[in-house]
């Protein structure tokens, strides 16, 4: 068995009673002593602390101050509008391949003299190589393994950070600023993966333990594992790479049309040439064969990733597959997301899913499952 990496907070997790599982090459906490449901509900009502240091932080900057050229090169690889992304702001985007599939989904921030990407742990080495292969020698690309990444999510998250630095209160959703927390240099974005208001904090490895100690002082912050992180993102209708997004699924099939920014949509324009643009923009205009949708199982059994979706309760016509599913602690019932053939969507309200050799009904529903509070 390959040696699993540990984040710089491994001992902190262990001291807080974490149960560890292998995840993307790391030994990561899946839950703590209170359990997944308690962690999930605490994040929704108060605030949760997430160690997401396994994710990739990639810095890209020009050698000769040619930021406009860097924007051109980055826009060939992703369908976002970086020309109009203001300084100290970030946006959600996707690295696409020649077939229009998604190599990874990510956050990209305009940090004045450079761009900062936060990418998924499972894809970070692939992403890093993909960027190196597709961006010219005029630019530096660094995978910043000397930094940790933390997330504070939930309705009390602003108060917790504002108590340390009052300037946090001025941040808007999707701001990304460099700021000091108790004399520790950090880069903070107001964003997250839970549907709650929240913040992600990039900090040097040498300072991360000191910062965590400060964050937990005089606050109701609770450490949260991968189990609750997954149920929180599922309730918020957010994609998990490897399930709801893959190299064979386009952004349009994943119901992420909004991630193709307006300036990048004009097929007659010279500025739209990103990898896979022909297929993606064609689907945007004419509609995709498959589409990601939300599902509410009628019965109590969860409908999980890989379960087949049928048009009829006799399982004669297969029309799709469940991509994510589990129990929703907020709604107190199972929820799922899946891909189904879009031709059936116009009048379809109910589908049938094979769960442990039983064919069970599910209602098609809009995403997200809960009201988001970004």
């Amino acid at each position: 068995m390959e040696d699993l990496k540990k984040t710089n907070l491994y001992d902190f997790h262990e001291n807080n009673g974490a149960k560890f599982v292998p995840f993307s090459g790391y030994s990561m906490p899946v839950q703590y002593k209170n359990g997944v449901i308690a962690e999930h509900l605490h994040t929704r009502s108060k605030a949760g602390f997430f160690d997401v240091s396994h994710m990739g932080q990639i810095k890209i900057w020009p050698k000769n101050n040619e930021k406009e050229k860097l924007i051109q090169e980055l826009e060939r690889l992703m369908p976002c509008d970086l020309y109009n992304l203001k300084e100290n702001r970030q946006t959600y985007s996707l690295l696409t391949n020649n077939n229009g599939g998604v190599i990874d989904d990510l956050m990209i921030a305009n940090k004045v003299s450079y761009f900062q990407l936060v990418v998924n742990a499972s894809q970070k080495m692939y992403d890093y190589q993909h960027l190196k292969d597709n961006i010219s020698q005029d630019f530096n690309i660094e995978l910043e393994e000397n930094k940790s990444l933390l997330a504070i999510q939930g309705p009390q998250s602003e108060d917790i950070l504002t108590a340390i630095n009052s300037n946090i209160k001025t941040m808007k959703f999707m701001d990304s600023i460099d700021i000091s927390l108790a004399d520790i240099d950090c880069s903070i974005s107001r964003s997250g993966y839970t549907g709650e208001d929240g913040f992600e904090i990039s900090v040097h490895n040498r300072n991360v333990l000191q910062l965590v100690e400060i964050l937990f002082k005089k606050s109701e912050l609770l450490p949260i594992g991968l189990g609750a992180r997954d149920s929180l993102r599922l309730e918020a209708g957010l994609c998990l790479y490897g399930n709801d997004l893959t190299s064979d699924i386009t952004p349009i099939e994943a119901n992420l049309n909004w991630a193709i920014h307006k300036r990048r949509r004009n097929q007659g324009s010279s500025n739209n040439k990103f990898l896979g643009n022909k297929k993606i923009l064609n689907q945007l205009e004419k509609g995709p064969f498959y589409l990601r949708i939300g599902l509410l199982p009628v019965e109590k059994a969860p409908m999980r990733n890989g379960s087949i979706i049928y048009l009829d309760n006799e399982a004669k016509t297969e029309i799709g597959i469940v991509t994510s599913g589990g129990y929703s602690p907020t709604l107190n019932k199972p929820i799922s997301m899946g891909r189904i053939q879009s031709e059936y969507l116009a009048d379809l309200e109910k589908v049938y899913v094979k769960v442990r050799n039983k064919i069970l009904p599910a209602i098609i529903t809009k995403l997200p499952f809960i009201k988001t509070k970004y």
Side-chain angles (χ1 to χ4, degrees):
M1 187 172 139
E2 75 174 290
D3 291 335
L4 294 172
K5 295 179 183 177
K6 297 177 180 178
T7 74
N8 284 268
L9 293 179
Y10 183 88
D11 291 345
F12 165 84
H13 301 311
E14 204 167 42
N15 293 338
N16 279 276
K19 178 183 176 183
F20 293 91
V21 294
F23 185 79
S24 297
Y26 285 78
S27 183
M28 294 295 292
V30 68
Q31 66 176 73
Y32 298 84
K33 52 195 174 188
N34 292 325
V36 172
I37 292 175
E39 292 171 27
H40 179 114
L41 296 174
H42 190 93
T43 304
R44 290 270 182 251
S45 62
K46 294 178 181 177
F49 168 86
F50 303 75
D51 177 14
V52 286
S53 304
H54 58 311
M55 297 182 75
Q57 299 182 67
I58 301 174
K59 179 180 178 180
I60 307 177
W61 70 102
K63 293 176 181 175
N64 300 313
N65 223 17
E66 294 183 282
K67 194 171 179 187
E68 188 166 322
K69 190 179 175 190
L70 176 56
I71 288 172
Q72 289 172 358
E73 298 216 12
L74 287 170
E75 283 196 350
R76 284 194 297 103
L77 304 180
M78 55 188 84
C80 56
D81 181 357
L82 296 178
Y83 275 103
N84 292 304
L85 182 64
K86 292 179 180 176
E87 293 179 349
N88 298 315
R89 294 282 293 164
Q90 70 174 15
T91 188
Y92 174 84
S93 198
L94 311 134
L95 289 170
T96 52
N97 60 30
N98 284 316
N99 297 318
V102 177
I103 292 170
D104 202 3
D105 64 333
L106 55 90
M107 303 298 294
I108 180 166
N110 181 352
K111 304 293 283 185
V112 187
S113 62
Y114 64 95
F115 282 95
Q116 183 80 31
L117 281 69
V118 176
V119 302
N120 285 301
S122 62
Q123 293 297 98
K124 69 180 175 182
M125 296 312 299
Y126 188 97
D127 295 348
Y128 177 56
Q129 192 60 50
H130 177 73
L131 290 163
K132 284 174 69 175
D133 290 344
N134 287 280
I135 290 177
S136 73
Q137 299 296 312
D138 296 333
F139 306 99
N140 295 301
I141 304 172
E142 180 187 354
L143 180 61
E144 297 185 293
E145 298 190 286
N146 60 340
K147 291 183 178 178
S148 296
L149 190 65
L150 317 174
I152 311 292
Q153 299 284 301
Q156 291 183 3
S157 56
E158 183 190 82
D159 292 340
I160 290 167
L161 291 177
T162 299
I164 304 169
N165 187 327
S166 59
N167 290 322
I168 292 291
K169 209 171 186 70
T170 66
M171 290 182 70
K172 298 182 177 68
F173 180 56
M174 289 299 212
D175 277 355
S176 177
I177 64 171
D178 296 332
I179 195 170
S180 170
L181 292 178
D183 295 323
I184 297 171
D185 290 336
C186 302
S187 179
I188 302 183
S189 66
R190 192 163 198 163
S191 58
Y193 194 51
T194 61
E196 296 293 332
D197 183 23
F199 301 83
E200 297 207 329
I201 307 166
S202 176
V203 59
H204 201 286
N205 290 336
R206 65 173 173 263
N207 297 323
V208 67
L209 285 168
Q210 182 189 351
L211 179 59
V212 169
E213 196 175 305
I214 292 165
L215 290 170
F216 275 83
K217 203 174 285 181
K218 297 178 184 174
S219 76
E220 293 187 81
L221 206 53
L222 197 70
I224 312 296
L226 293 175
R229 186 170 184 251
D230 192 54
S231 56
L232 288 159
R233 73 92 197 167
L234 181 57
E235 288 184 348
L238 299 172
C239 292
L240 174 65
Y241 192 84
N243 287 40
D244 313 292
L245 280 173
T246 71
S247 59
D248 296 318
I249 297 173
T250 71
I252 312 306
E253 291 165 354
N255 215 344
L256 297 174
N257 299 23
W258 53 269
I260 318 300
H261 290 175
K262 187 177 179 181
R263 185 176 65 79
R264 313 301 308 283
R265 293 185 176 204
N266 182 359
Q267 294 207 48
S269 168
S270 61
N271 67 24
N272 74 329
K273 299 293 189 288
F274 54 89
L275 293 181
N277 74 91
K278 204 171 233 183
K279 182 173 181 179
I280 291 169
L281 296 178
N282 187 54
Q283 287 186 345
L284 192 60
E285 183 185 344
K286 298 177 181 175
F289 183 75
Y290 284 103
L291 193 66
R292 178 173 65 101
I293 45 94
L295 292 171
L296 289 174
V298 174
E299 299 182 21
K300 291 183 178 180
M303 296 171 174
R304 301 191 186 277
N305 169 251
S307 301
I308 303 299
I309 302 172
Y310 296 94
L311 185 62
D312 55 288
N313 61 3
E314 294 175 349
K316 287 180 179 176
T317 307
E318 183 179 324
I319 61 168
I321 192 166
V322 173
T323 53
S324 283
Y327 172 73
S328 163
T330 304
L331 302 176
N332 192 26
K333 60 184 177 183
I335 56 175
S336 296
M337 295 193 298
R339 297 171 71 226
I340 69 169
Q341 293 177 34
S342 55
E343 65 176 295
Y344 295 105
L345 272 175
D347 304 310
L348 200 59
E349 294 180 2
K350 186 186 287 187
V351 293
Y352 298 86
V353 180
K354 191 172 186 179
V355 180
R356 295 178 186 169
N357 293 320
K358 290 183 179 178
I359 305 300
L360 302 176
I363 307 298
I364 295 175
T365 187
K366 288 183 178 178
L367 294 170
F369 296 98
I370 56 149
K371 186 177 180 182
T372 56
K373 303 169 186 172
Y374 301 119

